[in-house]
Every structure is written in C-alpha cells, then in structure tokens.
Amino acid sequence: MSRIDRGITNHEVIPVIESGLFASDSAARLACGIIAVDGAALPGLEAEYRAHFDLRRRVYVDQTGQLDASELQEDGTDRDPDDARSVTFGVFENHRSGVRVLGVSRLIIRGDRLVLPVEEFCPDSFADDALDAQSVEVSRVIARHETAAIQDLVQWHLFTLMLAYVANHDLGRTFAIIEPWLERHLRGIISIESIGEARYVEHYLDYNMPIEIDIAASTALANARNGDFVDRYRKAEPTMTFFGRVSGGASRHRAA
C-alpha cells in the first residue's frame, strides 16, 4: 500500500450504523453473509450495503491511498461498473455504539461480455488461457478492527463466505490481483498460486500480482480450521449467519 496514512486508525474507518441486523439474535457478536447481488442490496439490507461503501472509501481513499479521491462518484462512494456484476459480502459487529461494519468483499462474475479486472491488468497471465463466463475475481476485500486477531478472523470469514458462494453456484476458476505482502499472508488462510509477476497497477497506485485460488483445497483448509464453516455458510445462504456472544452489557440493539 503506497501511501498509508498512519494517522487514520482502524477505529476511525469502521462505519457505525443503526440497524436491525441482530434483531433475531441480539446477543450475537458477529453477523456474516451476502448483502447485495448485482449492485442491489438484498431486501432489508439497504443501510448495510450503503455503509459497506463507506468502509471501502475510508480505507482505500483515506487510510491507504489505493484509490484516488478523483475516482469517487458524486455520492462519495467508490462504486464502479463491476459492482453491477458482483455478489457483495459483509461482516458486522453487534457493538454498544451500534452495528459496526468490520469487513466487506465482493466476487466479480465475469459473464460473456466483459473481462475480469485481473485479465485487463495482467493480460500476459491469460495469453494462452481464455476464461469462461463462470470465472470470478475476488475484489475489494477489507477487514478492519482495533484488535489484530479479530481483524484476521473477519478476513477469514470473508474468504469462507466467498468459498461457500462459489461452491453453491457452481462458479468457475477464481482469481485475484493483490499486493505481494497480502499474497504471503493469504497462503496461511487459503490455497493460492501465483500466475504472474508483480507489476505496478495505476488504478490501485501500487504493485500487485495476479493469483488463482484453488477452491477445493481452500474449502478443505477453511473447514478444517474451524468447524466446517464453509458448509455452514452454504446451508445458510442467503440469510445471515451469527457467531459469538457479546460480553455482558456490550450489546445495544438498534432498530432499523
């Protein structure tokens, strides 16, 4: 990340919203699941979807400088054309201050008409390897928390959600374009293979490298780590899944 602003803390970038997300389980600590498909929020999750854009902007524009402010839309979001062909996921925390948006990600589904961003930025990786309409790209993965261990857990939930979705919908080969330091980190979470050298990507204002995710091997790793969570997410889709318990007095349910 080329221009990290160390003066902007994780606490500051986490959006807090009023939400009825935890109405069915007011003592749960986390809620995880799909919040939008093809750029439209799932019914009842409009506030959560809007807040996920707040997290994206605060992290990518304000905190890390991976996107330039000039790329924002008139409404202040970093919404781009790929959101209209993506499935968006979120991890939310039941907190005394309200519902906090701790993590977001999206799966861009290639389709027949448009290439994936990784194909555009790293064409050499696909010169002899045409992708089909079911190929997907992991994108806009953000996890933020004041505690490193919980931040890692949030990121793990995001990847587990995406693995479950790929399996449930028989999607195809899965790619991402990420910074080299993140590639090293992800090798401890999922099974990945580098498919090209790192190169400077103007859109992200940094060096990135293309990877392919082994879905079957990654699913086995995720299920082995913590109680078959991929399978649990597959059964729960499209509803939210709740985890953990808030400490005494920490929860403050907010009505939408």
Side-chain angles (χ1 to χ4, degrees):
M1 292 176 284
S2 55
R3 296 184 288 121
I4 298 175
D5 187 340
R6 301 292 182 183
I8 300 177
T9 67
N10 283 353
H11 178 78
E12 292 174 301
V13 302
I14 296 172
V16 183
I17 62 173
E18 294 203 9
S19 166
L21 193 59
F22 290 91
S24 64
D25 193 345
S26 61
R29 175 73 182 277
L30 298 177
C32 312
I34 300 169
I35 58 175
V37 176
D38 294 339
L42 296 189
L45 296 178
E46 291 81 7
E48 289 76 8
Y49 187 51
R50 178 61 179 82
H52 116 279
F53 283 114
D54 291 338
L55 179 63
R56 279 168 42 166
R57 174 185 53 78
R58 294 178 187 187
V59 170
Y60 284 134
V61 177
D62 301 337
Q63 189 184 47
T64 71
Q66 288 173 278
L67 293 177
D68 191 83
S70 65
E71 297 180 78
L72 296 177
Q73 303 299 316
E74 290 184 2
D75 62 0
T77 72
D78 72 323
R79 184 191 294 268
D80 65 23
D82 289 326
D83 285 303
R85 55 171 175 159
S86 295
V87 180
T88 305
F89 306 86
V91 176
F92 303 88
E93 181 183 30
N94 188 9
H95 192 267
R96 62 171 57 89
S97 62
V99 172
R100 304 206 306 168
V101 187
L102 301 184
V104 300
S105 64
R106 68 182 182 182
L107 278 176
I108 304 171
I109 301 176
R110 187 180 190 275
D112 292 316
R113 293 179 296 172
L114 300 174
V115 300
L116 294 171
V118 68
E119 295 177 87
E120 178 184 354
F121 298 135
C122 308
D124 51 300
S125 297
F126 302 94
D128 302 312
D129 195 11
L131 301 183
D132 63 25
Q134 293 298 96
S135 299
V136 297
E137 180 170 340
V138 172
S139 173
R140 294 293 201 264
V141 180
I142 300 174
R144 289 294 184 270
H145 196 271
E146 296 85 351
T147 304
I150 297 179
Q151 180 167 304
D152 286 346
L153 177 64
V154 170
Q155 185 181 73
W156 180 81
H157 273 294
L158 291 170
F159 275 99
T160 305
L161 281 164
M162 291 186 286
L163 289 170
Y165 191 89
V166 169
N168 265 2
H169 296 268
D170 295 321
L171 296 176
R173 297 175 64 188
T174 304
F175 303 89
I177 179 166
I178 58 177
E179 297 152 293
W181 71 266
L182 182 56
E183 186 264 349
R184 295 189 294 270
H185 174 69
L186 287 181
R187 288 190 181 278
I189 302 175
I190 56 177
S191 178
I192 61 177
E193 178 185 359
S194 172
I195 57 171
E197 299 297 324
R199 77 284 312 277
Y200 187 79
V201 178
E202 182 69 28
H203 179 69
Y204 299 127
L205 303 177
D206 205 350
Y207 282 86
N208 283 258
M209 63 188 303
I211 64 168
E212 182 168 1
I213 300 171
D214 185 325
I215 296 300
S218 295
T219 297
L221 285 173
N223 276 335
R225 171 175 170 171
N226 201 345
D228 297 332
F229 272 26
V230 174
D231 295 337
R232 183 172 174 181
Y233 277 134
R234 292 187 67 180
K235 292 176 182 177
E237 185 190 318
T239 61
M240 285 281 165
T241 304
F242 299 93
F243 298 97
R245 283 292 178 263
V246 295
S247 57
S251 173
R252 182 183 299 173
H253 171 63
R254 301 292 186 99

